[in-house]
Amino acid sequence: MADMAEVGQPFSLVELQQAFRNRGMPLEALRYDLTPTGLHYLLIHFDIPDLDERDHRLVVGGNVARPMELSVADLRAMPAQTIPVTLECAGNGRALMEPRAMTQPWLLEAIGTAEWTGTPLSGVLEAAGVAPGTAELVFTGADHGVQGDVEHDYQRALTVEEARRPEVMLVYEMNGRPLEPQHGYPLRLLAPGWYGMTSVKWLARIDAVTDPFEGYQQAVAYRFQNHEDEQGDPVSRIRIRALMIPPGVPDFPDRARLLDAGPVTLRGRAWCGTSSVDRVEVGIDGDWQPAELGPPVGAWAWRSWSYDWAATVGSHQLACRATDADGNVQPPEVKWNLQGMANNLIQTIDITVR
Ligand SMILES: Nc1nc2c(c(=O)[nH]1)N[C@H]1C(S)=C(S)[C@@H](COP(=O)(O)O)O[C@H]1N2
Ligand SMILES: [Mo]
C-alpha cells in the first residue's frame, strides 16, 4: 500500500530535479471543485517553448483536402465550449513501485481539475477535410528534446474516431484566463478521459496520417511493459481512482498526521476516464464502509465524496477506494510495470488520534 516509509531509497538527483520542475497538486487542494491554476500538477518533458499568441500558427496538413494555417484568433472565432476536466499523469503513483522507472517520481499528486475553454477539434478537422484512408491524427508540440536516445518533438496521436469525439478540444484558456506558459500557451490539445500525455501542449501541427503513428511518445513511451524487449499495450484512458484529503495536521517534514478524537468528516475526490465513478468506500483499519458521493463537477471531471468518522484515540490506518460503473475497483497492491504507468492502487494514510 501507499506507505512512504516503504518506498525504496535512495532517490537520485535526477529524480529530485524532475520533482522540482514537475510538481504535483497538494492533496488538501482536493477541497476545490476547480484546482486553482497555480496548484494544478505539471508535467513538462523538455523545456517550455517561447511562443507568442500573436504570431503562433497551427498548421493542419498531411492527408487532408484543404491544408491550412490557423492563428489563435482564428480558433477563438470558431464555436467555443468551456468544460471542467480532470487531468492525471499516467505516471501518478510511479514512485510507489519497486523497482521504479528512473523518471518523474510521482507519489499521488499528479492530478488537477480545471475549466478549459476552446473549440471542438472536430470543427477544424471538418474544415480541413480529413481525407479517406486516414488512420490517425498526429499532434505535434513546439517543444523538442531527447528521450531514450531519440531526439524528437513531443508528439502523440489519436484515431480519427477518438479525435472526433465532441469533448476533444483545441484549448486556449484555462480557468477563464489565457493558458499559462507551463500549461501549453497559447494552444493545446485536450483529450478528456485520457491520461495527460495525450493532451499535447504548445500545439503547432496536426497531421492526418494513413498508417498508425510510431513516434517515441506513442510507440515506446506510455506502454505497459513487463520487460524491455516487449512493446507492451498502450496506456490510454484514466483508471478509476479516489484520493482523500489527509485529515488533521501534519508533522513537518515527514507529514505524519495527528488528529483530535471525536467526529470528523473525511473528504476527497474520485474520477475515472473509462466510465463513471459508481462507488467510493472508506476503510478504517481495514473495515470498509460506503462514502457519500457528491455530484460530478462535470461529465469529464471528478466528484467529491465524504464520510463521517468518529475518531477514537490510538493509531489508525485510513484508506479510500473507488469502483467504476464497469465494476473495476482500485487494487490493494501495486500492479508493477517497467515504466511505472497507471498505478491506481488504494491510498492509505496512517494517523495518530489523541
Ligand atoms: N508538448 C507537450 N505536451 C505535453 C507534455 C509535454 O511534455 N510536451 N506532457 C504531457 C504529459 S505527460 C502530461 S501528464 C500533461 C500535463 O499537463 P499539465 O502540465 O498542463 O498538467 O501534458 C502532456 N502534454
Ligand atoms: Mo504525464
Side-chain angles (χ1 to χ4, degrees):
M1 295 222 190
D3 182 342
M4 295 252 262
E6 290 168 11
V7 172
Q9 302 290 335
F11 276 75
S12 68
L13 283 178
V14 167
E15 290 172 296
L16 180 65
Q17 179 168 250
Q18 287 302 327
F20 273 114
R21 286 188 59 84
N22 299 309
R23 81 288 180 284
M25 186 196 79
L27 292 186
E28 60 271 31
L30 288 166
R31 72 170 73 103
Y32 308 111
D33 282 351
L34 299 177
T35 310
T37 302
L39 292 177
H40 195 282
Y41 87 94
L42 282 180
L43 197 296
I44 298 159
H45 285 75
F46 305 133
D47 290 347
I48 298 170
D50 185 13
L51 302 177
D52 189 325
E53 165 158 355
R54 289 165 297 185
D55 55 30
H56 185 70
R57 294 291 179 273
L58 172 66
V59 178
V60 185
N63 194 38
V64 295
R66 294 171 291 279
M68 48 180 63
E69 274 194 32
L70 299 163
S71 66
V72 177
D74 293 335
L75 293 164
R76 283 180 180 273
M78 295 180 73
Q81 68 186 22
T82 298
I83 56 172
V85 175
T86 297
L87 273 188
E88 180 175 12
C89 181
N92 203 16
R94 168 183 294 130
L96 302 168
M97 290 193 187
E98 182 63 59
R100 60 182 184 270
M102 194 48 57
T103 173
Q104 170 68 25
W106 291 120
L107 293 165
L108 297 171
E109 290 89 355
I111 47 161
T113 297
E115 212 163 45
W116 302 90
T117 301
T119 192
L121 173 63
S122 60
V124 171
L125 298 180
E126 185 89 353
V130 173
T134 299
E136 294 183 344
L137 283 314
V138 178
F139 302 88
T140 302
D143 51 331
H144 188 93
V146 182
Q147 190 178 336
D149 291 333
V150 181
E151 186 173 343
H152 58 278
D153 297 331
Y154 186 91
Q155 292 179 303
R156 288 279 308 179
L158 282 174
T159 62
V160 177
E161 193 190 356
E162 285 287 343
R164 283 199 173 125
R165 290 175 61 109
E167 70 274 14
V168 178
M169 307 201 294
L170 300 174
V171 310
Y172 41 78
E173 280 179 17
M174 176 184 188
N175 291 337
R177 299 188 23 91
L179 293 174
E180 297 294 335
Q182 66 272 26
H183 289 294
Y185 173 85
L187 186 68
R188 82 181 293 176
L189 178 69
L190 193 73
W194 286 70
Y195 280 114
M197 72 283 172
T198 309
S199 294
V200 176
K201 301 193 268 192
W202 313 295
L203 186 65
R205 293 190 62 93
I206 302 175
D207 290 282
V209 296
T210 52
D211 290 315
F213 177 60
E214 294 289 334
Y216 186 88
Q217 301 293 345
Q218 194 86 26
V220 183
Y222 301 103
R223 292 275 168 172
F224 290 105
Q225 287 175 297
N226 286 310
H227 34 82
E228 265 171 39
D229 48 18
E230 68 172 10
Q231 188 179 29
D233 290 334
V235 176
S236 59
R237 285 178 174 270
I238 299 175
R239 288 181 175 167
I240 180 77
R241 192 202 284 277
L243 289 176
M244 187 189 304
I245 300 173
V249 296
D251 180 87
F252 183 86
D254 75 9
R255 304 200 61 77
R257 309 299 303 191
L258 189 62
L259 179 71
D260 291 336
V264 57
T265 302
L266 305 176
R267 295 179 193 281
R269 301 273 174 180
W271 61 93
C272 179
T274 55
S275 62
S276 54
V277 176
D278 194 53
R279 186 161 74 237
V280 173
E281 295 156 291
V282 170
I284 310 286
D285 302 320
D287 174 32
W288 292 96
Q289 298 294 333
E292 199 169 309
L293 284 178
V297 169
W300 299 101
W302 57 26
R303 62 196 298 183
S304 62
W305 59 262
S306 64
Y307 177 78
D308 293 328
W309 179 41
T312 54
V313 173
S315 295
H316 299 285
Q317 188 179 62
L318 311 181
C320 58
R321 75 174 174 207
T323 305
D324 71 19
D326 295 324
N328 297 302
V329 60
Q330 292 180 250
E333 302 293 338
V334 174
K335 289 184 185 154
W336 185 88
N337 62 81
L338 191 68
Q339 296 182 18
M341 290 294 164
N343 175 11
N344 67 335
L345 96 164
I346 294 168
Q347 173 197 18
T348 60
I349 298 173
D350 292 320
I351 191 160
T352 303
V353 178
R354 59 175 176 198

